[in-house]
Amino acid sequence: MQTFRDLAALRECIGTWKRDGLRVGFVPTMGNLHAGHYALVELAQQHCDAVVASIFVNPTQFGPNEDYARYPRTEQRDADGLAQAGAAALFLPSVDVMYPFGAIGCVQMHVPGITDILCGAHRPGHFNGVATVVARLFNMVQPDCAVFGRKDYQQLQVIRYMAGELSFPVEIIPAPTLREPSGLAMSSRNQYLSDPERESATAIYRTLQQMRAACIAGVPVAQIERDAETALQALGFTVDYAEIRSAALAPASRAADNKRVALIAAFLGRTRLIDNLEFEIP
Ligand code: AMP
């Protein structure tokens, strides 16, 4: 695996691959990698000839009181894991490479509508930062396809929408959520959890399963959402939202088909966890 911190050298490498007719895949990450990330690299390999992974903790997607400074950075371990997972190149841009005119006041992306709800409502500016960095990375790497996890369901929808509307020639490939045996969705943020919190955190996936069962049984969505929030609060969570929406994240009452997704975002202590479960109603 070749490692690049510099954009010109990365582009030269990718240019050579493309001239040789190789299809280039891309897996953007913020590092502190786990099996869920490596599975994205493996999925990308099934869709292309050479996988570029990136690690960049993107300052523009963190709010002022969020965990940007303490976000876990484990570069050497991540690089070893990516090489083992089969990545052909690793891009490690600095903030200066990503935002050559500064991260404040830079050219930004805003995907309207879908970023006003759920995590967008609770983390103002978050998805502008995500869309901005992904657009920059797409322009830098110029991949043929890029893999994003369904774990970050709303993020996946935002990127799909942006790539579609701006005609980025990048196929967006969703990857299934990898979970611990306990059901807890793998996340870099899980390591903030104490042992008792990690045990409590398994309630998120159980609650999603209960929301799915209740929805399939015909319980009104508002009641399901209230019950889920109450149950999580009783276990010590501070709940941002527990909702059932259409696959496109419209209110369930305005869903055009029988596809639904249950989504939860909740804090355990200072740690914000998100998860979701896609399903169909009969
Ligand atoms: P992050 O490093 O958290 O920004 O995540 C980088 C990519 O990995 C995103 O596309 C995430 O959706 C994806 N990802 C994170 N956790 C998981 C997981 N447990 N299963 C599958 N994909 C994941």
Side-chain angles (χ1 to χ4, degrees):
M1 185 179 74
Q2 302 181 65
T3 298
F4 300 94
R5 295 180 193 273
D6 178 59
L7 178 56
L10 173 79
R11 279 200 157 150
E12 197 182 311
C13 169
I14 294 172
T16 310
W17 289 343
K18 291 207 165 182
R19 279 192 295 281
D20 288 345
L22 300 188
R23 186 172 152 85
V24 176
F26 181 43
V27 178
T29 80
M30 296 206 301
N32 193 242
L33 304 180
H34 50 65
H37 294 112
Y38 298 131
L40 304 191
V41 174
E42 281 154 21
L43 181 60
Q45 279 175 297
Q46 294 170 24
H47 290 263
C48 69
D49 304 302
V51 178
V52 180
S54 67
I55 297 176
F56 180 65
V57 184
N58 174 36
T60 66
Q61 72 188 69
F62 287 79
N65 298 316
E66 294 184 349
D67 54 345
Y68 175 67
R70 71 181 180 120
Y71 197 85
R73 288 155 170 93
T74 50
E75 192 177 295
Q76 191 53 54
R77 202 192 73 197
D78 295 347
D80 293 346
L82 286 167
Q84 210 173 351
L90 169 58
F91 183 38
L92 291 164
S94 64
V95 174
D96 289 343
V97 166
M98 187 59 65
Y99 298 104
F101 297 96
I104 296 167
C106 66
V107 176
Q108 285 195 41
M109 284 288 167
H110 172 64
V111 180
I114 193 173
T115 60
D116 297 336
I117 55 170
L118 302 168
C119 285
H122 290 274
R123 302 181 68 188
H126 168 66
F127 286 121
N128 287 355
V130 169
T132 297
V133 81
V134 171
R136 281 164 190 260
L137 283 164
F138 279 2
N139 198 37
M140 290 173 170
V141 175
Q142 307 209 341
D144 298 294
C145 65
V147 180
F148 291 87
R150 290 186 181 278
K151 151 87 165 49
D152 298 277
Y153 188 89
Q154 190 175 8
Q155 169 175 286
L156 173 64
Q157 304 306 319
V158 168
I159 289 162
R160 272 182 165 155
Y161 192 97
M162 175 185 77
E165 191 182 313
L166 296 183
S167 308
F168 277 108
V170 183
E171 183 194 354
I172 307 297
I173 300 166
T177 301
L178 241 76
R179 301 179 178 282
E180 306 281 357
S182 66
L184 177 64
M186 289 184 183
S187 164
S188 306
R189 291 194 165 100
N190 289 351
Q191 67 181 257
Y192 298 150
L193 301 170
S194 65
D195 285 346
E197 282 176 338
R198 192 175 262 264
E199 177 58 37
S200 303
T202 61
I204 294 183
Y205 187 51
R206 281 199 303 280
T207 306
L208 287 168
Q209 290 172 310
Q210 285 158 7
M211 291 170 80
R212 173 180 63 184
C215 196
I216 288 171
V219 179
V221 165
Q223 186 184 329
I224 296 171
E225 294 175 345
R226 258 196 323 274
D227 290 350
E229 184 167 349
T230 309
L232 289 168
Q233 282 167 345
L235 291 166
F237 289 89
T238 304
V239 181
D240 270 356
Y241 59 80
E243 293 192 22
I244 292 176
R245 296 221 163 214
S246 78
L249 295 180
S253 58
R254 286 203 262 121
D257 57 22
N258 61 348
K259 292 191 168 66
R260 298 287 183 276
V261 57
L263 307 108
I264 289 175
F267 283 88
L268 261 184
R270 286 170 67 197
T271 308
R272 188 174 189 274
L273 300 169
I274 60 170
D275 199 357
N276 68 84
L277 186 58
E278 294 169 70
F279 61 96
E280 290 185 14
I281 49 173

